[in-house]
Amino acid sequence: MLLNLRNKNNKLVIKDILDIDFNMSVKEKDGKYRIAVNNSYYFDEDFDNEKDAENQMLKIADSRNSLENELRNF
């Protein structure tokens, strides 16, 4: 699974979800909420409220966990 991300220079990067070192949190900037995936990348979508950003962050975590479980059972 690939994720669309932005680096610190706001350049689009696409990374394999299994290659990302996750340390996620939600950050507010200019009245919008962003998911900081780690110190290097942000999720390539802004949200109108913190709850929506948190829900997306949970979906990303669930996707990553599901992929890891599939690989263990392979």
Side-chain angles (χ1 to χ4, degrees):
M1 177 178 185
L2 300 175
L3 287 181
N4 299 337
L5 305 171
R6 295 273 172 187
N7 66 17
K8 290 183 179 185
N9 297 322
N10 206 36
K11 299 291 183 182
L12 179 66
V13 294
I14 298 173
K15 296 279 195 176
D16 188 307
I17 195 169
L18 294 174
D19 292 335
I20 299 170
D21 181 24
F22 284 94
N23 187 17
M24 291 190 287
S25 63
V26 174
K27 310 233 178 187
E28 189 270 331
K29 183 179 179 183
D30 300 327
K32 296 283 186 175
Y33 294 85
R34 310 176 86 187
I35 299 169
V37 174
N38 56 32
N39 288 335
S40 300
Y41 301 109
Y42 286 93
F43 190 65
D44 185 34
E45 185 177 349
D46 291 334
F47 301 89
D48 292 328
N49 59 67
E50 188 172 16
K51 186 68 174 169
D52 288 346
E54 288 175 345
N55 286 337
Q56 182 62 45
M57 188 168 64
L58 290 169
K59 287 179 188 176
I60 294 168
D62 287 343
S63 294
R64 171 70 185 254
N65 290 337
S66 292
L67 286 170
E68 285 186 17
N69 285 332
E70 283 182 37
L71 287 173
R72 275 191 215 124
N73 296 324
F74 185 67

